[in-house]
Amino acid sequence: MKLSELSTETGVSTASLKYYLRESLLAPGEPVTRTQSEYGPAHVERVRLIRALVESGGLSLAQVRRVIDALDSPTVPRHELLGVAQEALMDSERFEADADWTAVATEFVERRGWRIEDGEVLLPQLGAQLKALADTCDVGGRDTVERWADAAEIVAASDLDTLTEDDAQALRTAIVGTVLSDKVLQTLRRLAQQNRTAQLYEAAKRSDQ
């Protein structure tokens, strides 16, 4: 198919496709003339992946590049799959590390028995997030965070259960699945909040009768 047909097939403008080609996010097509190339199913799949990561996953093109580089890299040992996924998806948002709150975060994960590598950047990030919560709103203290962590363990177990025996497919699932499921989890949380609010309202209404 021509570039215009690839655009129609994927719903991505030709201008965007040309940008992906210039930035090597998309592999060149097969040249047929000096000015035209042919594109195939692999290009359709890659463009749809980029679109999903940007539109549904909310990633920047810089993050998309890291994801694609990881997907196109040699086979990764299975025990390192999620580590590679997390590195590729590392949040570019800046945060100010706080030594005291990093210690709080470290103590929290150690108390739960989580096996986390020394120097893991997610620990100061968690510390900064907990500090922001403590500084701005009351979320119920440690018990609430413990319950969040309980839910996170269930999600993490589900994530690992989705990995197939095929290493390349498992890496794709680990990375792309993490990006897109983050948004699904966010939406499910909001829906569950609405449901829980309705349940509490109905319970209060019945008790007043």
Side-chain angles (χ1 to χ4, degrees):
M1 68 183 76
K2 297 181 175 63
L3 191 68
S4 59
E5 294 171 320
L6 179 61
S7 173
T8 300
E9 180 72 17
T10 60
V12 175
S13 70
T14 56
S16 293
L17 294 177
K18 289 177 181 178
Y19 177 78
Y20 297 164
L21 288 165
R22 288 197 303 272
E23 295 298 314
S24 299
L25 295 172
L26 183 65
E30 184 70 26
V32 291
T33 69
R34 190 174 63 83
T35 59
Q36 286 191 337
S37 297
E38 284 287 334
Y39 301 89
H43 293 93
V44 173
E45 181 182 2
R46 176 55 59 89
V47 173
R48 286 176 174 166
L49 171 62
I50 295 171
R51 182 177 181 181
L53 292 173
V54 172
E55 295 183 3
S56 298
L59 297 190
S60 67
L61 286 179
Q63 289 172 308
V64 170
R65 180 181 297 282
R66 292 203 297 272
V67 168
I68 288 175
D69 287 346
L71 291 175
D72 290 343
S73 67
T75 301
V76 177
R78 291 189 69 81
H79 68 280
E80 297 179 8
L81 284 176
L82 289 178
V84 170
Q86 290 179 359
E87 183 176 351
L89 302 174
M90 186 59 64
D91 196 343
S92 60
E93 181 180 347
R94 296 182 181 275
F95 65 91
E96 185 176 346
D98 182 289
D100 291 337
W101 280 94
T102 297
V104 169
T106 301
E107 189 272 335
F108 175 80
V109 300
E110 288 178 347
R111 188 174 65 255
R112 291 191 65 92
W114 288 3
R115 298 170 63 181
I116 308 298
E117 293 184 3
D118 292 338
E120 171 57 59
V121 70
L122 291 175
L123 291 176
Q125 183 169 330
L126 175 60
Q129 292 163 346
L130 293 175
K131 181 179 186 300
L133 280 173
D135 288 346
T136 58
C137 62
D138 179 12
V139 294
R142 174 176 291 179
D143 288 344
T144 299
V145 181
E146 291 283 2
R147 293 172 69 185
W148 289 343
D150 290 341
E153 288 185 354
I154 295 172
V155 172
S158 298
D159 290 340
L160 288 168
D161 288 343
T162 65
L163 301 183
T164 66
E165 293 300 319
D166 180 85
D167 287 341
Q169 184 59 42
L171 178 60
R172 181 185 178 90
T173 299
I175 296 177
V176 180
T178 297
V179 173
L180 301 183
S181 65
D182 275 353
K183 298 301 180 180
V184 173
L185 290 169
Q186 186 180 79
T187 301
L188 286 173
R189 179 187 188 185
R190 282 151 176 69
L191 290 171
Q193 287 173 340
Q194 291 186 32
N195 175 63
R196 183 59 176 163
T197 299
Q199 290 176 332
L200 294 173
Y201 172 77
E202 290 297 330
K205 188 177 180 179
R206 285 194 299 269
S207 67
D208 291 339
Q209 292 176 348

